[in-house]
Amino acid sequence: MRALDLTYMLDLLPVLLSYVPLTLFMAVVGMVVALLLASVMAVERVFQVPVLDAFVRLFISFFRGTPLLVQLFLFYYGLPQMLPFLTGINGVTATIMGLTLHFSAYMAESIRGAILGVDRSQWEAAQAVGMTQGQMMRKIILPQATRVAAPTLVNYFIDMIKSTSLAFTLGVTELMGATQKEAAGSFLYFEAFLVVAAIYWVIVEALSWAQRRLEIYLNKAHAR
């Protein structure tokens, strides 16, 4: 059994770290847009707007029921064949689209559950003082639902960061794609993937720490 090439691993670390910003960029943009889309869908699912509700149900069912990798291929390889004006779409854009729509479907259900978990007395009190549905959701219901949904949404963000590793299948040289190339050039696959695993691990642990701090803060604010 050969020993680990520690020198190679140390030399590889700064190379791979230079691709972390792209990985985080795709995840952050995907998360922001997914959160907005999921919030809209969650509110719609609560009020069940005629016709629109059927479309939202279908959307959630499709993106939760099919693998993310298949969705990425649909956006990158399939859509340009059906819609010629999308032939210029690049791997980064396709990845962000895939991450956004895939995770928004899951997040919508989590947010919907958090909204429905708000005590009915809060809904009745808001209606009693004459609030419109929009005012009630914005000022009373959503702030309370946020405290419940926040930990789950952070978990989705962590999953999204790890899922960016699929972008290399679309030719994107992000963290995982760079690792593949470096490993193929050196044939030191174990060392290369061990380094990238450590990078992902550190990122996830940092977010997990932030998640715990967020939970403490939200619980304290709620206790006041």
Side-chain angles (χ1 to χ4, degrees):
M1 184 177 72
R2 71 175 180 84
L4 285 175
D5 191 334
L6 297 178
T7 301
Y8 170 76
M9 294 174 69
L10 290 173
D11 290 340
L12 181 61
L13 181 60
V15 175
L16 296 186
L17 286 176
S18 66
Y19 292 93
V20 169
L22 177 57
T23 292
L24 294 179
F25 170 76
M26 292 189 293
V28 169
V29 173
M31 183 65 183
V32 170
V33 181
L35 185 57
L36 294 173
L37 180 59
S39 298
V40 173
M41 291 193 293
V43 172
E44 190 287 322
R45 290 286 291 112
V46 169
F47 293 105
Q48 297 183 350
V49 181
V51 181
L52 182 58
D53 190 57
F55 173 77
V56 172
R57 284 174 178 268
L58 178 63
F59 177 95
I60 292 174
S61 175
F62 176 80
F63 283 99
R64 292 179 67 186
T66 55
L68 175 57
L69 184 58
V70 173
Q71 295 164 18
L72 292 178
F73 283 178
L74 279 174
F75 289 128
Y76 190 63
Y77 297 110
L79 279 183
Q81 291 185 340
M82 301 297 295
L83 305 171
F85 67 89
L86 290 177
T87 52
I89 189 172
N90 58 36
V92 173
T93 302
T95 299
I96 292 175
M97 288 173 60
L99 293 173
T100 296
L101 299 182
H102 180 83
F103 282 94
S104 68
Y106 286 92
M107 291 161 59
E109 289 298 281
S110 296
I111 296 172
R112 180 176 74 94
I115 291 173
L116 295 177
V118 175
D119 192 273
R120 292 303 303 178
S121 63
Q122 300 293 310
W123 298 73
E124 293 166 359
Q127 292 170 343
V129 298
M131 284 188 175
T132 64
Q133 286 186 340
Q135 291 173 327
M136 177 177 63
M137 293 300 296
R138 187 174 64 255
K139 297 181 178 180
I140 305 296
I141 306 303
L142 287 180
Q144 296 184 62
T146 298
R147 183 180 66 87
V148 177
T152 302
L153 296 178
V154 175
N155 283 334
Y156 283 132
F157 182 51
I158 290 173
D159 286 341
M160 191 178 289
I161 289 176
K162 292 185 288 186
S163 295
T164 59
S165 61
L166 295 175
F168 85 93
T169 63
L170 306 185
V172 179
T173 307
E174 42 64 71
L175 187 54
M176 189 63 185
T179 304
Q180 288 276 75
K181 291 181 179 180
E182 293 293 333
S186 65
F187 295 103
L188 296 176
Y189 290 95
F190 187 79
E191 285 89 341
F193 289 117
L194 191 58
V195 172
V196 77
I199 293 174
Y200 278 117
W201 189 13
V202 169
I203 293 173
V204 170
E205 282 301 303
L207 287 172
S208 297
W209 176 85
Q211 177 186 20
R212 290 190 293 270
R213 300 301 300 175
L214 177 62
E215 289 181 31
I216 293 172
Y217 171 77
L218 291 176
N219 288 332
K220 283 184 178 179
H222 180 70
R224 293 195 186 112

